[in-house]
Amino acid sequence: MDDTMAPPSGVSRDSGRPPRKRPERRPARRPVDVRGWLGGIRLSGFMVIMLGLVVLAAFVLVPTIGTYVDQRQQIAALQASVEVSRDDVADLEAQRDRWTDPAYITTQARERLYYVRPGEVVYLVENDLPPALVPQEQATVSDQVEQTRTDWMSQFVRSVAVAGMAQTVKAPVIGVPDTVPSESPSEAP
């Protein structure tokens, strides 16, 4: 081997160990002169035209993107509505299939319409309400006119506000309901 050959890079001649790296000294940060930086920017005619096209594209695309997002939300809402409608259709088809069964029709006629077969005796109990639901006796009506002690205008405004904020919505029932609603105490004979 020739003595004039240099050792491989990263290995010192003396010991065969890689040389130590000295920590790099970063130069102190100098404050950036914004005026000098902006003054160095030169606007050419091409750059102004391209900047104008970017601004024009922004004005054209922003409403389009907003419309796209709104339409996607409407599509998602309509798809959810279609799923609900499919569930309703499946329930109605199941109900239609039940009504093709003669045993189901007989049961419904007996429960809802109180039909009986010839020779059968049916007993209807009229006062079958528990004591808590039995209507109380009404107090006698006075012959004298009494003045109320409330402000009718505040009651009116309060009732309109409560009615406007109420969110009780009952789902529409299509077809024949499965159960007979119980009679209210005022409808009982």
Side-chain angles (χ1 to χ4, degrees):
M1 238 180 129
D2 194 1
D3 288 333
T4 60
M5 287 184 62
S9 65
V11 177
S12 73
R13 285 186 181 196
D14 300 329
S15 63
R17 285 183 273 154
R20 289 186 192 170
K21 291 186 179 180
R22 292 184 183 168
E24 294 180 20
R25 292 188 182 181
R26 294 184 183 172
R29 287 191 170 191
R30 292 183 294 165
V32 176
D33 184 18
V34 176
R35 281 186 240 155
W37 183 77
L38 286 176
I41 296 176
R42 295 184 184 177
L43 292 177
S44 65
F46 176 74
M47 193 172 211
V48 170
I49 291 173
M50 292 310 289
L51 196 60
L53 286 176
V54 168
V55 170
L56 180 65
F59 278 119
V60 170
L61 291 178
V62 167
T64 306
I65 292 172
T67 304
Y68 173 76
V69 169
D70 289 342
Q71 288 177 349
R72 293 306 301 171
Q73 289 174 347
Q74 288 176 353
I75 288 171
L78 289 173
Q79 286 174 341
S81 173
V82 166
E83 288 300 319
V84 169
S85 297
R86 284 184 182 154
D87 293 341
D88 290 344
V89 167
D91 291 342
L92 290 172
E93 286 175 350
Q95 186 177 6
R96 182 191 64 199
D97 292 341
R98 278 186 272 153
W99 280 101
T100 58
D101 182 20
Y104 183 77
I105 294 173
T106 303
T107 304
Q108 292 301 313
R110 286 173 170 266
E111 289 177 2
R112 293 183 185 185
L113 303 174
Y114 304 111
Y115 280 18
V116 294
R117 295 183 185 264
E120 289 182 343
V121 177
V122 176
Y123 296 98
L124 295 176
V125 180
E126 287 190 22
N127 294 327
D128 61 346
L129 295 174
L133 297 178
V134 173
Q136 301 296 323
E137 295 287 328
Q138 291 185 352
T140 58
V141 178
S142 171
D143 292 336
Q144 299 175 355
V145 176
E146 295 181 11
Q147 181 178 3
T148 59
R149 292 185 171 84
T150 58
D151 181 22
W152 69 270
M153 185 56 140
S154 64
Q155 281 185 336
F156 174 72
V157 170
R158 190 178 311 118
S159 69
V160 169
V162 168
M165 290 187 282
Q167 295 185 6
T168 55
V169 177
K170 185 176 179 185
V173 177
I174 300 173
V176 181
D178 288 337
T179 59
V180 177
S182 61
E183 292 181 1
S184 65
S186 61
E187 294 177 4

